[in-house]
Amino acid sequence: NGSAMVHASGGTAPYSYSWNTNPVQTSHMATGLSAGTYLATVMDVDSCIDTLSVIITRNPDPVAKFGNTTVCNNTATQFTDSSSTSAGNINTWSWNFGDASPLNTTQSPSHLYASAGNYSVTLMAYNNFGCADTITKAVQVYYNPVAGFTYSNVCLGDTMYFTNASSVHNSTSIASYLWAFGDGSPNSSLPNPVHYYSGPGTYNATLVTTTTDVCSHVANNSVKAFDAPGSAFTFSDICLLDSAMFTNTTTSPTMGSTASWSWDFGDGSPLNTTLLSPHHLYVTPGNYRVTLTTYSSNLACPDTLSDSITVFPMPVANFSFTNVCLNQAMNFNDLSTVTSGTIASRSWNFGDGTSPNGNPNPSHIYVNPGTYTVTLIVTTNNSCKDTIIKSVVVHPLPVAQFSRVNVCDGSVIPFTDLSTILSTDNIQSWAWNLDDGSPVFNNQNPQHLYANAGSYQVQLLIASNFGCLDSITKISIVNPNPVVDFTSNDTAGCEPLCISFVDSSSIATGANNIAWSWNVGDGSPVSNLEDPVHCFINDSVYSPVSYDVTLTVASDSGCVSTLSKNNYITVYPKPNAGFTVQPEVTTITDPIISIKDLSTGVYYWNWNFGDGSASITAGLDTSTVFGPADHTYQDTSTYTITLITSTQYNCIDTAYQTIIIEPDFMFYIPNAFTPNDDGINDFFSGKGTFVGIYEMAIFDRWGNLIFSSNDITKPWDGKANKGTVIAQGDVYIYSIKITDFKKRKYIYKGIVTLVR
């Protein structure tokens, strides 16, 4: 390309350069050189110089050239390289598209411009020698039109209007329009066409707009022709005062749904636009034209249907009756009417759970009193019904009842009315027949004293405020009283005085005495036995005491009579015998017993000492005690001393004391014996009195047991080893254990000499 460059790497910077070109170039690079040899001189700051010879060879330049397509906006422009070179070949390209996009090194690129307009495009072509050529050309991108249109969706059967809204850059103009309506109908080239769709649906409407530069643009829109609902409804002719029920059976449109509706009931009432299937109440009978208009959810496309309904007149139900007492028949009379047509049937409901009655004028007997709701339903020949409800009253019967007390002869009988009637009514009159010839009583709760005991038929008749009656008869009894009397097996005696009482009471025939109450006057609990036994006590010691006895007898009807006998029982005091002895236990060696009398209330004493000695009997006319000072026993034994005391009323008391005279304990052990069968001192044993348990053991001098006995009557006979060996004369050791009659234990140990 006619350029040369030198680089300094030694010496001291900075450097200066000089090329022998014409004119001289003083840069490290020389340019614009033709073919030839060139000298480059480099000098550093120290004036040191170096020289380089550069040979330039000149190659041929290429010829840059290209072609391009003419396009509409949004279409890529195709560039075609047609550059050439006289020697070598072109191997590098550099494209500048004139729109600030990056350089492109493709040989024949395509390029999409962002917008329409005129662009300067430059191509730089390089051959394999590094030689280049540049060409710049003007390239045009045509403007596209902007197709567009407006429209309004329609209800089926309406015309759709299309308004063209296409535009284009002012450098060109729109040459033509082409419309396709999406339903297979012929295309239109009008700028603003109208169109009629024959069926509901969504259609793709297309507008193609073309400029004079033959650039086109397409606009599409989905347009809709909405169908309306299919209005329909059902109903039935009705009776006046019944609501007409309209059932909406409208079919939904194929596009969307039924969104709203409007009902015109033909009677001048406001339109109903809220209920899908409304009820409507007509105020007068007649024929009415009913119109239903329904609207779709899309554009409110409407559909309308009309039909005629008949409203029949209502009957007027009515009846008459008269209230009754319970168990009486109540008569009902139908008074119902109707302005046109006839009353075809009746249904009576008497309000008591019985089956309905269809008679025009029925009668009915209620089984319970009370207020009942009677309903009459009348039906016309057009099936129109009317109902009337009335309350009827079945007055309750009073329930006659009274209480009376069966009394004893001489007592007044109170009669208490217990009659009842339901709270809706009240009892107003009473009539009492007491069955003894006395006048009828008209007060509510009379009292009466019968002259004699007996049984009476008492009748009560009552009447309510409505005149309902009831009566009841009961037996009233006046019972006889018992006749009280009693006897006893005795009336006086010493304490404790036990008396058998005998009831001898009586009562009139037909009644029985069943309860007794005895009060014997001494503060003891009452006895309810018929013939009790009671023991009386006298605590006064010296004086007799008298008691009042009272018997109360009750009959089986509760009648009670009482008899008292004053001072009926006399109880004499009993003496209190008592004494002490000292000592209670002694031995035969000191057998004297001292006695002290402690008796009170005594007039006579009788002593017995239990040893066969003569009893001592004494008597005084004062209260001074008496008794022996002491008594001597002659033998050992257990003795009972008995004291019998008596009063001047021959009342007796006895006291006892037991004493024991014991023997003295004695025991003797010999120190030698001679078992030679001469009958003298042949045995060895302890001897004593009142010995209980006895144990004797004999040991030789070496401690060997040679004899033992548990019986004081079996002494040692001088033999050893259970009588098989005769013991030699010697000194032996004994051990004797005894227990006396008082359970006292003694142990004796010692030696005994056996002499042969």
Side-chain angles (χ1 to χ4, degrees), residues 602-615:
V602 179
Y603 193 77
Y604 297 101
W605 293 260
N606 184 286
W607 295 89
N608 187 320
F609 300 105
D611 58 353
S613 60
S615 297

Side-chain angles (χ1 to χ4, degrees), residues 609-631:
F609 300 105
D611 58 353
S613 60
S615 297
I616 300 175
T617 301
L620 296 175
D621 57 2
T622 69
S623 61
T624 304
V625 298
F626 174 79
D630 51 41
H631 182 74

